[in-house]
Amino acid sequence: MCAGLSFVISLTNFVRHSIAQSITTFRQPYAVLVDANGHIEDYTVSTNQSPRAFTNVLQAFRELGVARSLLKILFAVTAFTTDLESWYEVGTCTIDALDLQKHASLLMYRLLDWYQNNDHERTDELSPMDSVNQSVCLATLIFLVNATEPNAAAFGPRLSKAVIKLRQSLERAPSLQWSKAPSILFWVLTMGALGTSSLKKGHRRPRSEPELVFFEQYIKSVFAGNCLDQPISVEQILDGMRTCLWIPSIFDERVKSLWMYLELYESWPLESEDANCSEGEQTVEEEYALGKSTTLRFFTMDTSVSGRPSLSR
């Protein structure tokens, strides 16, 4: 490996570790890539994707009334997701794999930075729409971690702070605030539940996990409200999720397992191996969680788990 490429990979890993630490601790990263003017590179400038390719995904966020500053980040995340989906499907996209790694970290940083700049210690300073914006921001962060680590078996320890903050923001946002975009609410709740549970098979279901109980009850209430007229199939719900930020090859099977795990709808087939889904995450030191976040890259030459193309060091 040439010295130049080795340096770029080392720098990318350094930034990844820094951002991973921030996600685990919700503290400022010790290192982040900025340009000569101190600005974070915008992914929409790097990609060759036409905005028309993904503007439909942003429509529901616009209808919800998401803050313009957050919507700008969501635009970049949507462009990145489009390229990442192409990478997983065919092994190529409009930019190279190292740049995808770099921008994954930069987008996570932008979300963390936005959240910290729009967080208030006193809850009475937050309007209901502020809480909706925070919920969308945190759910997008959880989405990116899942999307960029498709081979990871568990996220709970690394995402525990994000999940707790998401629950708190959802508790402050009345359901009426989501009425213009119910699919976004269901997507946010699904991301929260995914961040809470690893969905590893062979363990008993945790009944006392407070965050999981919260998301389970909220998801069931939303689902029940949408099924008053006629039953909804799994595929119909997935169709709704695909109008949000989504990568089918990563999330379809995960959320099917999740919804069966939560016993979302009694008529859905529930195999015995899925009925005894994940045990709650055990307490894990932040250092271990951080190491997992840094080493479980979404670009490794080992395709034995997912069969997806990747890049090794």
Side-chain angles (χ1 to χ4, degrees):
M1 181 183 296
C2 68
L5 179 59
S6 178
F7 172 77
V8 170
I9 292 176
S10 296
L11 181 61
T12 300
N13 290 340
F14 183 65
V15 173
R16 279 177 58 82
H17 184 276
S18 174
I19 304 304
Q21 183 183 58
S22 290
I23 294 171
T24 305
T25 64
F26 263 69
R27 298 171 185 166
Q28 284 295 318
Y30 59 79
V32 68
L33 291 174
V34 296
D35 61 21
N37 297 317
H39 298 148
I40 299 294
E41 186 178 353
D42 190 344
Y43 187 78
T44 57
V45 177
S46 302
T47 183
N48 293 324
Q49 290 281 355
S50 168
R52 290 191 295 270
F54 44 81
T55 50
N56 62 315
V57 175
L58 296 172
Q59 186 59 36
F61 291 106
R62 292 193 181 97
E63 292 174 354
L64 184 61
V66 168
R68 185 181 297 271
S69 56
L70 178 57
L71 196 61
K72 184 177 181 180
I73 302 174
L74 291 174
F75 185 83
V77 172
T78 305
F80 174 81
T81 301
T82 302
D83 281 335
L84 186 60
E85 181 176 5
S86 176
W87 175 268
Y88 286 146
E89 288 181 353
V90 298
T92 60
C93 66
T94 57
I95 68 173
D96 65 40
L98 282 176
D99 273 341
L100 280 178
Q101 283 195 0
K102 178 187 73 174
H103 281 288
S105 296
L106 292 181
L107 287 169
M108 291 176 194
Y109 169 75
R110 290 179 66 184
L111 289 165
L112 283 164
D113 186 60
W114 187 93
Y115 179 84
Q116 291 170 340
N117 288 331
N118 292 273
D119 186 26
H120 305 285
E121 293 183 1
R122 294 176 56 196
T123 58
D124 57 1
E125 294 179 358
L126 286 170
S127 70
M129 195 60 217
D130 288 332
S131 297
V132 168
N133 284 322
Q134 286 187 357
S135 299
V136 170
C137 176
L138 292 165
T140 306
L141 180 62
I142 294 170
F143 164 81
L144 276 177
V145 172
N146 276 268
T148 55
E149 297 184 30
N151 295 338
F155 293 100
R158 282 172 284 153
L159 291 174
S160 60
K161 282 185 169 58
V163 168
I164 290 171
K165 291 178 182 295
L166 176 55
R167 173 190 176 182
Q168 293 169 345
S169 64
L170 283 165
E171 289 175 333
R172 296 192 296 264
S175 298
L176 184 62
Q177 292 293 137
W178 301 93
S179 59
K180 293 182 179 179
S183 63
I184 297 296
L185 173 58
F186 200 83
W187 175 81
V188 167
L189 293 171
T190 298
M191 290 301 113
L194 282 177
T196 302
S197 176
S198 66
L199 298 182
K200 291 173 68 176
K201 296 180 179 180
H203 296 283
R204 290 180 300 174
R205 179 183 177 190
R207 292 287 182 178
S208 59
E209 182 87 23
E211 271 64 51
L212 185 58
V213 170
F214 169 81
F215 286 109
E216 176 182 3
Q217 293 175 345
Y218 206 153
I219 286 173
K220 285 183 175 180
S221 68
V222 172
F223 182 73
N226 291 333
C227 294
L228 292 177
D229 297 330
Q230 58 184 5
I232 298 178
S233 69
V234 178
E235 286 304 317
Q236 285 175 307
I237 299 182
L238 284 175
D239 286 342
M241 294 295 93
R242 290 166 188 151
T243 65
C244 308
L245 289 168
W246 201 257
I247 300 177
S249 63
I250 301 299
F251 289 97
D252 279 9
E253 293 306 315
R254 288 189 187 185
V255 299
K256 283 181 182 179
S257 296
L258 172 69
W259 294 332
M260 287 191 293
Y261 170 64
L262 298 179
E263 300 173 2
L264 190 58
Y265 194 57
E266 61 183 9
S267 69
W268 290 355
L270 186 63
E271 300 295 336
S272 59
E273 64 177 2
D274 291 318
N276 297 316
C277 242
S278 137
E279 187 176 11
E281 293 292 344
Q282 301 298 316
T283 301
V284 178
E285 294 295 330
E286 285 183 354
E287 289 78 5
Y288 175 76
L290 176 58
K292 294 287 285 184
S293 184
T294 304
T295 57
L296 283 173
R297 315 191 199 300
F298 59 107
F299 299 123
T300 62
M301 283 307 295
D302 181 7
T303 59
S304 59
V305 176
S306 66
R308 298 184 182 90
S310 58
L311 175 73
S312 63
R313 289 199 291 176

